[in-house]
Amino acid sequence: MELSNEEIRRYSRHLILPEVGLAGQKRIKATSVLCIGAGGLGSPIAMYLAAAGIGRLGLVDFDTVDFSNLQRQIIHGTEDVGRPKSESARDTIRSINPNVEVTLHGVRLSSENALDIVRQYDIVVDGTDNFPTRYLTNDACVLLKKPNVYGSIFRFEGQASVFAPHLGGPCYRCLFPEPPPPGMVPSCAEGGVLGVLPGIIGCIQATEILKLAIGKGTTLINRLSLFNALDMKFREVKLRRDPKCPICGDHPTIKELIDYDQFCGIPAEPVNPGVHPDEVTVQDMKKALTTPSLNIKVVDVREPDEFEIARVTGTLLMPLSTLPQKFTDLDPNQQYYLSCKAGVRSMKALLFLREQGFKYLKSVKGGISAWSDEIDPSVPKY
Ligand SMILES: [Zn+2]
């Protein structure tokens, strides 16, 4: 592997670092990395690896760019809204460094395709935002003995590590043997995230990848780095491989990829995605609001900050977080439609109120986002 004169100029600040040098830069060029997700974490990871001269970069993402992504997913621009993220990311990478070979995998990573995709790369970097894909990524990496450079973010906090049982450390399952119950840990879409946070965690992941490529320094193998942006504090937790781990332990029971949706307790997509018996549509909600004789009250269970951003006239605000104290203000014999942003929290509120003896409850499918899409586009989506 040789570097052209153009590459020597481009990477000169690397080449004069004794720890990198010509040999290290050639190793970076010889390295292939699979980036799972071209979103918040994937953006800085892919951009910095491209700038650093990584040889080949694979991108797995089946999503398209949304306006609400732009606050943190800096690999995409305003004019990319609506485009496939993998294609938008590829164009940015090409403009940063045309020497990088980009391979697009515009699919959802699944038990069927993960081994075939992961096999083609030296290092895998986890930029996913959901538990089934995170366990899938972990298991595929352990089975194929690929380092898995892990990062995750939520609100103001993030964490990063390098999982590589074949290099002596633990895997993601050693740390988190069981996924949280579905709905217990809110996603960034539900809970929010500071836009710069994936930049910090993604840059830690990119740093670890470059260190693995050049074989210098001390990586995060056996360590979990925890970052809090509000306090501007880093902490570190020592990690150990769990000899009882079902995939990297001494007597592994998982020898091939499993059904990760099922493992994480996520019900399979219904063949006929109709309306759940406990749900009504936003059309039903509109009818309830415009037809007083139906005597249906619509309760919005979002937080006050969200209510301030977007609301539907005629709804009553009672945040889910205050429901255990405030539900006695409601009438257990009254018919209520419960609404939130997307229909997840309203279902939680429904289950809670039903336990308290409320009889006539429905959750509004799709929440205020669906209301904005289907009833009144002047209600902003956030
Ligand atoms: Zn393990």
Side-chain angles (χ1 to χ4, degrees):
M1 176 142 316
E2 291 303 319
L3 299 184
S4 68
N5 285 354
E6 183 268 336
E7 287 173 298
I8 288 172
R9 266 216 313 281
R10 179 186 283 269
Y11 306 126
S12 65
R13 301 300 186 276
H14 269 169
L15 301 179
I16 56 177
L17 286 173
E19 291 80 359
V20 184
L22 196 59
Q25 192 63 46
K26 286 181 182 175
R27 290 185 69 164
I28 294 172
K29 187 176 177 180
T31 300
S32 58
V33 175
L34 179 67
C35 184
I36 301 179
L41 293 169
S43 289
I45 293 167
M47 291 165 81
Y48 270 109
L49 290 181
I54 207 81
R56 192 159 62 90
L57 197 53
L59 296 172
V60 185
D61 206 304
F62 66 96
D63 208 0
T64 52
V65 181
D66 183 82
F67 262 111
S68 64
N69 299 147
L70 301 176
Q71 160 256 21
R72 63 200 177 283
Q73 302 185 9
I74 57 169
I75 203 164
H76 314 296
T78 306
E79 64 275 24
D80 296 317
V81 170
R83 294 182 70 200
K85 284 188 183 178
S86 56
E87 291 178 16
S88 159
R90 176 201 53 204
D91 292 353
T92 305
I93 291 166
R94 278 198 185 143
S95 82
I96 293 172
N97 189 349
N99 299 305
V100 178
E101 187 189 333
V102 182
T103 307
L104 300 189
H105 304 279
V107 293
R108 187 191 288 269
L109 198 71
S110 70
S111 303
E112 286 70 42
N113 61 28
L115 292 177
D116 284 339
I117 296 174
V118 168
R119 206 190 309 273
Q120 304 166 30
Y121 297 87
D122 300 319
I123 300 170
V124 174
V125 55
D126 179 354
T128 60
D129 57 357
N130 67 81
F131 289 98
T133 313
R134 191 162 289 148
Y135 280 97
L136 167 62
T137 301
N138 179 72
D139 291 1
C141 287
V142 174
L143 291 174
L144 294 170
K145 297 189 165 51
K146 308 281 185 183
N148 171 14
V149 181
Y150 160 76
S152 82
I153 46 163
F154 181 62
R155 292 190 167 158
F156 294 93
E157 289 175 84
Q159 45 185 253
S161 187
V162 175
F163 298 125
H166 62 290
L167 302 176
C171 81
Y172 181 73
R173 280 182 186 270
C174 297
L175 190 56
F176 302 107
E178 297 286 334
M184 264 295 283
V185 178
S187 67
C188 288
E190 291 167 330
V193 62
L194 187 72
V196 75
L197 184 70
I200 294 168
I201 301 298
C203 284
I204 292 175
Q205 292 175 280
T207 308
E208 292 302 286
I209 291 166
L210 292 177
K211 282 157 59 189
L212 286 168
I214 62 174
K216 291 284 160 64
T218 308
T219 66
L220 282 175
I221 290 176
N222 281 319
R223 294 184 289 153
L224 179 69
S225 182
L226 302 161
F227 174 65
N228 183 315
L230 274 184
D231 301 337
M232 198 46 80
K233 273 190 180 152
F234 281 94
R235 286 193 303 127
E236 190 173 299
V237 179
K238 275 234 161 284
L239 302 179
R240 261 194 210 96
R241 191 177 68 91
D242 177 2
K244 294 203 195 80
C245 174
I247 190 151
C248 81
D250 298 337
H251 305 285
T253 53
I254 300 172
K255 290 169 181 163
E256 55 186 27
L257 299 179
I258 59 170
D259 181 334
Y260 292 88
D261 281 341
Q262 189 187 40
F263 175 66
C264 294
I266 294 164
E269 296 261 312
V271 185
N272 180 9
V275 176
H276 187 272
D278 285 336
E279 285 184 322
V280 291
T281 64
V282 283
Q283 282 79 16
D284 297 323
M285 172 171 154
K286 186 182 178 191
K287 203 183 280 177
L289 287 168
T290 52
T291 320
S293 58
L294 290 174
N295 194 26
I296 298 167
K297 289 189 176 153
V298 181
V299 177
D300 190 330
V301 300
R302 296 174 304 144
E303 296 303 309
D305 286 347
E306 300 178 82
F307 196 72
E308 204 175 309
I309 299 167
R311 74 183 83 175
V312 176
T313 311
T315 58
L316 169 75
L317 178 66
M318 190 170 285
L320 179 64
S321 57
T322 65
L323 218 48
Q325 295 85 45
K326 292 275 183 65
F327 76 89
T328 48
D329 295 352
L330 301 174
D331 174 2
N333 295 309
Q334 163 72 41
Q335 188 170 0
Y336 291 110
Y337 285 177
L338 305 166
S339 147
C340 64
K341 184 184 173 192
V344 177
R345 280 174 286 169
S346 54
M347 192 55 97
K348 275 188 206 161
L350 180 144
L351 296 173
F352 171 79
L353 288 173
R354 186 175 281 162
E355 272 177 31
Q356 314 308 321
F358 285 73
K359 297 188 195 72
Y360 310 109
L361 302 168
K362 295 282 183 191
S363 167
V364 179
K365 188 181 164 78
I368 198 162
S369 297
W371 180 275
S372 175
D373 286 338
E374 295 171 35
I375 307 287
D376 180 4
S378 75
V379 172
K381 282 183 85 171
Y382 63 97

